[in-house]
Amino acid sequence: MDQIAVLIPCYNESKTIGKVVEDFKRVLPQAVIYVYDNNSKDGTDEIARKAGALVRYEYQQGKGNVIRRMFRDIDAECYIMVDGDDTYPAEAAGEMADKVLNRNADMVVGDRLSSTYFEENKRPFHNFGNSIVRSSINRLFHTNIKDIMTGYRAFSYQFVKTFPVLSKGFEIETEMSIHASDKNMFVENVVIDYRDRPEGSESKLNTYSDGIKVIMTIARLFQTYKPLAFFSIIGLILFILGIGFMIPVFGAFLRTGTVAKLPTLIVSGFAVIAAVISFFSGLILQTIARKNRQDFEMQLIRTRDQYESVRG
């Protein structure tokens, strides 16, 4: 088992990967640096290998797929995950690792948004999107993570081995943040200086398509982790619509003694019934979600025993 494993997912990062590996070797000489190449065509793997990293491969395209492979393959007391684009300072890694090793943090977030991100990042929609995602998740899941979508994080062994990776692409960071919040894991924030990509290095993010994926991920995980709230909102909307259409029909009935708009009355009744069904569906699913959290706590105990076994 490694004491510290630096995990670098890469796709066509030949212009920056050498410097990233060298920086982390200098700052964390005791760490083992793993570069996982995701079908690069520009020699990223060879440059990383020459810089001193252990190079492995993941052939399913997508950052989420790479992280799934990393988390399955590697055993370490502390994991540092960082992008290979040289936008994150290696100098912060020591503080982040210390919080995992000595303060029992489950996840440490490299917080760009509290420092230089909005000045350095030249893509205004990314800035706006990061702010929206941060505020929405912190409100929906009652947490205080300062940077939801940062690619610079540190993890404990228990987090890595109990995190179910479902996302395939860049929405993986959002999934990590929501998982940590829902499972009451100890999360800390470390403010880092962010720098934009150097000239000639291109981002793999698509502002609109990846933004839509992130929004869909938030909605999916809100449904999974907060089913009562999710289905209560749907139920409330249906109830308001049903009552709204029913009131004029009922008013006309009181005046004339007849129902002139029978189809509207039927649709309104079905909407109210659907609202009630939605609420009770959320109530049942909330009970299941609570049971899943209880099972997860027992899984943490088993993972802790596994950690001690591997470490020993």
Side-chain angles (χ1 to χ4, degrees):
M1 172 181 277
D2 304 323
Q3 183 189 33
I4 301 175
V6 178
L7 311 181
I8 310 176
C10 278
Y11 173 62
N12 290 339
E13 300 288 4
S14 61
K15 295 188 179 297
T16 54
I17 188 59
K19 180 178 183 298
V20 172
V21 172
E22 290 168 359
D23 285 350
F24 276 90
K25 286 178 68 69
R26 170 176 51 81
V27 172
L28 295 173
Q30 75 276 32
V32 181
I33 300 177
Y34 297 89
V35 170
Y36 272 68
D37 185 80
N38 193 206
N39 302 311
S40 296
K41 299 176 177 62
D42 62 352
T44 294
D45 54 345
E46 288 303 320
I47 296 172
R49 191 174 287 112
K50 289 177 181 177
L54 294 178
V55 178
R56 296 181 179 177
Y57 298 89
E58 171 53 45
Y59 299 104
Q60 289 192 94
Q61 197 67 40
K63 186 175 182 179
N65 290 322
V66 180
I67 291 173
R68 181 187 297 110
R69 180 67 60 190
M70 289 174 163
F71 284 4
R72 288 178 183 175
D73 287 355
I74 298 170
D75 292 325
E77 296 178 40
C78 173
Y79 301 78
I80 304 287
M81 184 185 78
V82 66
D83 293 339
D85 56 8
D86 194 31
T87 57
Y88 300 109
E91 288 72 19
E95 181 182 357
M96 295 170 72
D98 180 70
K99 290 183 180 296
V100 172
L101 295 172
N102 298 318
R103 284 180 51 83
N104 297 321
D106 292 298
M107 182 172 72
V108 182
V109 174
D111 173 18
R112 309 161 297 170
L113 305 188
S114 299
S115 63
T116 57
Y117 182 79
F118 295 107
E119 291 78 24
E120 287 289 322
N121 192 291
K122 305 303 189 294
R123 295 155 292 184
F125 283 108
H126 284 208
N127 298 342
F128 176 74
N130 269 287
S131 298
I132 291 295
V133 169
R134 176 177 62 175
S135 60
S136 62
I137 288 180
N138 284 335
R139 288 177 181 175
L140 289 173
F141 294 92
H142 309 292
T143 186
N144 189 34
I145 298 176
K146 300 297 185 182
D147 190 347
I148 300 295
M149 300 180 68
T150 178
Y152 197 11
R153 298 171 187 250
F155 307 103
S156 67
Y157 179 89
Q158 283 188 297
F159 182 96
V160 166
K161 298 304 180 182
T162 58
F163 173 56
V165 181
L166 302 178
S167 300
K168 298 179 181 179
F170 286 99
E171 62 272 25
I172 183 68
E173 285 94 354
T174 304
E175 189 176 333
M176 288 175 174
S177 301
I178 294 175
H179 173 76
S181 171
D182 180 74
K183 296 303 186 292
N184 195 32
M185 291 191 160
F186 181 26
V187 179
E188 292 214 295
N189 301 280
V190 171
V191 177
I192 63 169
D193 290 328
Y194 175 86
R195 50 183 178 253
D196 204 7
R197 281 174 171 266
E199 186 177 353
S201 175
E202 296 183 1
S203 173
K204 313 305 182 299
L205 282 170
N206 184 294
T207 301
Y208 301 105
S209 64
D210 286 316
I212 291 171
K213 289 178 183 177
V214 169
I215 293 172
M216 294 301 294
T217 297
I218 295 172
R220 172 174 56 82
L221 294 176
F222 184 57
Q223 176 190 346
T224 300
Y225 292 137
K226 304 283 186 181
L228 181 57
F230 180 84
F231 286 102
S232 292
I233 291 171
I234 294 176
L236 181 61
I237 293 171
L238 290 171
F239 184 80
I240 291 173
L241 289 175
I243 294 299
F245 283 108
M246 188 180 294
I247 288 174
V249 177
F250 188 68
F253 173 75
L254 292 178
R255 290 193 305 270
T256 65
T258 61
V259 177
K261 298 180 179 179
L262 185 60
T264 302
L265 179 63
I266 293 173
V267 171
S268 299
F270 275 116
V272 172
I273 293 171
V276 174
I277 293 173
S278 180
F279 172 76
F280 281 102
S281 296
L283 197 61
I284 294 169
L285 291 172
Q286 187 70 32
T287 303
I288 295 173
R290 190 177 298 112
K291 179 63 168 62
N292 287 340
R293 280 195 287 273
Q294 292 172 349
D295 293 341
F296 181 79
E297 290 300 317
M298 300 307 297
Q299 183 183 355
L300 285 178
I301 295 173
R302 292 191 295 270
T303 305
R304 180 68 185 182
D305 293 340
Q306 177 185 339
Y307 169 75
E308 295 295 343
S309 176
V310 174
R311 190 181 182 193

